[in-house]
Amino acid sequence: MSLSAGSLVLDAEALYRELLRGVRSLMGPNTQLAGVASGGAWLAERLHKDLGLPGKPGVLSSALHRDDFAQRGMAQSVQTQLDFDVNGADILVLDDVLYTGRTVRAILNELYDYGRPASVRLAVLVDRGGRELPVAAEFAAARVALPASQSLALARTEDGTFQFEVKEA
């Protein structure tokens, strides 16, 4: 990763390989993967396949529990899908970018609507700092600093490879 002429260049595929290594070390015999829609769900789907896990990973939507719902509205059309019992589960939540912590707070509320897990851990592709809530990832493939005026999001090409989009907010 490098900064050049005010723009951040991140190799999302290289960071994915680092995330795969980190997630592999966090996996227990009964760990369930669940990704935050949409970037985290893409990561969970690919990790699930690359780790050779049975079934399919969960998808968590933050839409109904966001504290900025009035401003954002229903930004995501994806609904939460959990094909495993949340009660007593060891859940590894995946997201593309950790920033303020507000999305993580919302998906934790969503997750607890489905039951009470034994543990919930977080792994992210990029931690960009700027926390507004006391939230930390157990594993981050990269840590970067971006101005508050920029947003960073994972994009997926038709062939399934990842890349980052940096936009002015």
Side-chain angles (χ1 to χ4, degrees):
M1 75 192 107
S2 65
L3 289 169
S4 61
S7 66
L8 182 68
V9 178
L10 292 169
D11 182 343
E13 283 296 317
L15 291 179
Y16 171 79
R17 289 187 295 277
E18 183 65 15
L19 181 67
L20 175 60
R21 184 192 64 74
V23 166
R24 193 173 271 130
S25 72
L26 296 174
M27 294 295 293
N30 300 311
T31 302
Q32 300 288 338
L33 299 182
V36 178
S38 61
W42 297 336
L43 291 168
E45 181 181 298
R46 189 160 156 196
L47 285 163
H48 204 264
K49 180 182 172 194
D50 289 347
L51 293 168
L53 301 175
K56 59 184 191 175
V59 176
L60 294 165
S61 172
S62 65
L64 296 177
H65 292 282
R66 293 205 55 101
D67 58 6
D68 58 355
F69 181 80
Q71 293 88 5
R72 292 172 55 125
M74 288 294 279
Q76 301 171 354
S77 61
V78 175
Q79 294 184 357
T80 294
Q81 301 166 5
L82 298 170
D83 291 343
F84 55 85
D85 186 4
V86 169
N87 289 302
D90 170 30
I91 301 173
L92 182 57
V93 173
L94 295 140
D95 204 3
D96 54 353
V97 179
L98 176 58
Y99 182 33
T100 63
R102 293 186 179 282
T103 298
V104 173
R105 185 209 51 83
I107 64 101
L108 286 172
N109 285 348
E110 177 77 0
L111 188 58
Y112 276 80
D113 284 351
Y114 286 81
R116 187 177 188 283
S119 66
V120 180
R121 293 172 294 151
L122 176 66
V124 299
L125 207 54
V126 175
D127 181 344
R128 63 171 283 182
R131 220 71 77 237
E132 295 174 5
L133 298 172
V135 173
E138 187 131 345
F139 182 85
R143 298 183 194 288
V144 300
L146 284 176
S149 64
Q150 291 183 333
S151 68
L152 178 66
L154 189 66
R156 182 171 64 170
T157 63
E158 285 186 24
D159 70 355
T161 58
F162 296 130
Q163 59 191 25
F164 282 106
E165 295 177 348
V166 179
K167 298 178 183 173
E168 291 298 321

